[in-house]
Amino acid sequence: MLKPEKLVLIGLDAPIAPRIYDYAMKGHLPNIKRLINRGVYFRNCMVPYPTITPPNWTSIVTGARIGTHGITCFNMHKPGMPLDHTYSAFDSRDCRAQYIWEAIEETGEPVLIVNYPSTWPPRGKNVIQIGGAGLALNEWRIAPGLERVEVGRYAAKYGVTICDGMLFSSDEYPLAAKINLREGGEWKNLPSGVKNIREAEINLYFPRALYRVKHTSWLLLALDYGSGFTEIVLSKARDFSSAFARLKRGEWSQLIKDIFETEKGEFKAAFKVKLIELSRDCSKIKLHVYPIGALSG
């Protein structure tokens, strides 16, 4: 038997384990099924309580219970802090136990960490780390600029670079922006066969942005080819040929890259969009903009 040269640890945050297993056995998750069949699958594992992200992820990579490693909840409270103050438990400096990569580092082997929660700032000299200060790569639950408390490090606030996800809809939803479609204006280079168009201006509202972002708006164009509205495009100008996304209902865009101007300068960022709903009469529309992630900084 060949001796493995590399170890890869992959974690999924907050899945429903029986459903993951069921979907895998039915063939919907073939790669996970292959891992189960070729490896070991545990049922009814003992996990630390409370069963939430920071304590459990920390226990996985330290082998320690929460009373040993010290990450006891989603938010932390230290002696001497005001009783109504906490801060996010995503700071590696609060972990009192040794991480597995610190032990590996002692053998001289390199370690790559990608978005492992509660592990920022990086610990170790031979460690390459991306993310770990939140639940997503571009989420910062500990970062300069977040509200500080008198004792401890940061309050339970967090920011995202560039921003969290956004929802635009013809219906009213909490934390969403409403789309108001109107008769389409003069658009250049429309494809042949278009019978009717509707348009709306979308003003990005950049939820949970760590840095203030300059106002940005897109144009949404809905197209009817004779059997009702079946497609939209997103563009910065009334020119179909300059559209950066073209979608039918249920479709995701390709990865989109753009420049966003913030109070800290320009950031190149990447994101996707999905057209969740589009009725034939264009009375119902729902567009999801995936979190916009800065590619540097």
Side-chain angles (χ1 to χ4, degrees), residues 49-84:
Y49 284 89
T51 54
I52 52 179
T53 298
N56 279 260
W57 284 79
T58 303
S59 288
I60 290 171
V61 290
T62 61
R65 295 183 180 274
I66 63 174
T68 300
H69 62 60
I71 308 299
T72 57
C73 195
F74 227 106
N75 297 305
M76 303 282 286
H77 182 276
K78 294 292 182 67
M81 290 174 58
L83 294 179
D84 61 345

Side-chain angles (χ1 to χ4, degrees), residues 155-225:
K157 294 184 177 181
Y158 66 94
V160 181
T161 52
I162 297 295
C163 71
D164 212 342
M166 293 172 276
L167 179 66
F168 298 90
S169 174
S170 54
D171 294 324
E172 298 281 355
Y173 286 98
L175 306 180
K178 191 168 184 180
I179 294 178
N180 295 305
L181 287 156
R182 58 183 182 272
E183 292 291 333
E186 293 292 329
W187 279 72
K188 298 179 181 179
N189 300 309
L190 287 175
S192 60
V194 174
K195 304 299 182 183
N196 197 4
I197 59 174
R198 296 281 190 277
E199 70 175 22
E201 183 177 18
I202 293 179
N203 294 303
L204 305 189
Y205 53 98
F206 302 112
R208 297 194 178 99
L210 182 61
Y211 308 127
R212 287 190 297 272
V213 187
K214 183 179 178 180
H215 174 75
T216 303
S217 63
W218 300 335
L219 291 171
L220 182 151
L221 179 69
L223 300 106
D224 174 8
Y225 291 90

Side-chain angles (χ1 to χ4, degrees), residues 59-182:
S59 288
I60 290 171
V61 290
T62 61
R65 295 183 180 274
I66 63 174
T68 300
H69 62 60
I71 308 299
T72 57
C73 195
F74 227 106
N75 297 305
M76 303 282 286
H77 182 276
K78 294 292 182 67
M81 290 174 58
L83 294 179
D84 61 345
H85 278 64
T86 61
Y87 64 95
S88 290
F90 283 78
D91 195 322
S92 65
R93 292 167 291 188
D94 287 321
C95 178
R96 300 194 297 257
Q98 184 185 50
Y99 291 120
I100 186 173
W101 46 84
E102 292 179 294
I104 293 173
E105 187 181 42
E106 292 176 358
T107 70
E109 297 296 329
V111 179
L112 172 63
I113 307 168
V114 180
N115 199 38
Y116 199 97
S118 298
T119 61
W120 192 269
R123 281 174 32 175
K125 297 180 180 179
N126 201 25
V127 172
I128 299 173
Q129 181 164 340
I130 303 171
L135 296 176
L137 275 174
N138 62 332
E139 185 181 288
W140 297 90
R141 292 180 183 252
I142 54 167
L146 297 185
E147 181 183 341
R148 290 178 178 270
V149 294
E150 184 177 354
V151 180
R153 296 193 178 90
Y154 302 101
K157 294 184 177 181
Y158 66 94
V160 181
T161 52
I162 297 295
C163 71
D164 212 342
M166 293 172 276
L167 179 66
F168 298 90
S169 174
S170 54
D171 294 324
E172 298 281 355
Y173 286 98
L175 306 180
K178 191 168 184 180
I179 294 178
N180 295 305
L181 287 156
R182 58 183 182 272

